[in-house]
Amino acid sequence: MHTMPDTTPCTNCHKPIDDHHALCPSCEIRFALTLLRLAASLEPLHDMLDSTIHYGGHEPTRTMTSTPPTPIRLAVLDLIDDITTYSYELRRTLLGMPDPEHEATYEDAIGTLIADAGAPTISTNTCAGMYMRDAIRLMQTADRLLDPPNMRDIGHCPNPLCGVMLQAADGQQSVTCSMCGTTTDTHTIQLRTLERLCWDDERHGSAAQIARVFTNCGIPVLANTIRQWAKRGKLHAATNTRPHRPTYRYSDVYRLTVGVKRD
């Protein structure tokens, strides 16, 4: 009588595997590659602390600037510390470390991460899934710093004592003001921006300005569409506009845009 081998779920993707491993082969490879990517990212992250280097560590060419923005620089320092601490903790778990009091530096962390990636127990340790998720989270943070997403203005900080312009990337759900620390839902800021502009008949701008603001606030409209509305008589220029550089009321464009969507 043949007995079926015992199986257990992968601690990351939950696929069935043998009970001697905590990660399936695919997750094991992904975990090791993520550790190697973290090792490769430490040097460009450290370079970002140089005040003459523009952020974008994965870029082949870099723009020289006077000083880096302080909030980003602090984020880089925190991430380097987190990756370094993680690399040593993982090594103690997978391989052991004779000197736990050894002062960790980013150069040592690079070699430690490489050693972690090649550890024979990388897929058999019972905590492998947890460490893998931590590595992916750290790598995602590094990617955001080294290759920042395209940011766009979405509106002013809702804190009445602040009011600085906030930026967000496409799909970003919330944004934290770097000046006062207020965290707000991105959609809420966009709605407040539209309310301030579209419910005031005195607010007007060029077709390009209005198109950019509306699109950034989640209502896509082309500048050429606004100009076509004006040519067809659907949209009238503001009273204090110049003939060769017409401006239009945000409220008028909003009504036309909403009407088109409803139709």
Side-chain angles (χ1 to χ4, degrees):
M1 179 178 179
H2 297 284
T3 59
M4 297 295 292
D6 294 333
T7 60
T8 185
C10 170
T11 54
N12 181 65
C13 70
H14 307 296
K15 291 180 180 179
I17 53 176
D18 66 77
D19 61 352
H20 300 296
H21 291 78
L23 294 176
C24 67
S26 296
C27 288
E28 178 184 359
I29 293 174
R30 184 185 179 191
F31 187 15
L33 290 176
T34 302
L35 294 175
L36 294 176
R37 286 193 64 212
L38 277 175
S41 297
L42 272 173
E43 186 171 354
L45 283 171
H46 194 269
D47 288 344
M48 289 172 68
L49 301 177
D50 187 336
S51 63
T52 64
I53 295 179
H54 175 67
Y55 298 129
H58 290 330
E59 297 176 2
T61 59
R62 300 176 182 173
T63 304
M64 308 301 284
T65 57
S66 55
T67 55
T70 301
I72 300 296
R73 192 175 189 178
L74 292 176
V76 173
L77 283 169
D78 289 341
L79 180 59
I80 291 175
D81 183 64
D82 289 344
I83 294 175
T84 302
T85 301
Y86 168 83
S87 69
Y88 277 83
E89 179 184 345
L90 182 59
R91 176 163 180 170
R92 282 193 292 270
T93 300
L94 298 180
L95 298 170
M97 180 173 292
D99 184 12
E101 302 300 325
H102 176 72
E103 182 180 359
T105 65
Y106 92 93
E107 295 94 342
D108 291 336
I110 293 174
T112 302
L113 285 167
I114 294 174
D116 292 341
T121 56
I122 190 173
S123 66
T124 59
N125 187 275
T126 56
C127 297
M130 178 192 70
Y131 282 111
M132 177 180 177
R133 289 187 289 273
D134 288 342
I136 292 173
R137 175 182 54 81
L138 290 169
M139 194 64 245
Q140 289 173 341
T141 304
D143 284 337
R144 284 194 295 269
L145 288 172
L146 292 170
D147 294 312
N150 292 327
M151 306 295 286
R152 52 187 174 81
D153 294 340
I154 61 170
H156 295 275
C157 175
N159 185 346
L161 300 179
C162 182
V164 302
M165 179 59 69
L166 300 178
Q167 292 184 323
D170 291 337
Q172 186 173 335
Q173 300 297 316
S174 63
V175 61
T176 300
C177 178
S178 60
M179 187 65 65
C180 67
T182 301
T183 299
T184 313
D185 180 74
T186 303
H187 187 58
T188 299
I189 299 174
Q190 292 172 333
L191 289 178
R192 289 180 177 178
T193 300
L194 286 175
E195 182 180 9
R196 186 178 67 255
L197 293 172
C198 298
W199 272 260
D200 184 353
D201 289 339
E202 299 302 319
R203 303 297 292 268
H204 52 83
S206 68
Q209 290 172 334
I210 296 175
R212 182 169 58 253
V213 171
F214 274 48
T215 301
N216 287 347
C217 289
I219 303 180
V221 62
L222 298 175
N224 187 58
T225 300
I226 297 175
R227 297 187 186 101
Q228 290 299 321
W229 286 338
K231 287 182 180 180
R232 296 171 186 171
K234 293 183 177 181
L235 183 64
H236 300 287
T239 55
N240 58 345
T241 188
R242 288 178 287 181
H244 61 287
R245 296 187 65 182
T247 60
Y248 310 96
R249 294 182 182 85
Y250 282 87
S251 56
D252 292 339
V253 176
Y254 178 76
R255 281 190 287 269
L256 285 171
T257 305
V258 172
V260 169
K261 288 181 176 294
R262 288 176 179 173
D263 294 341

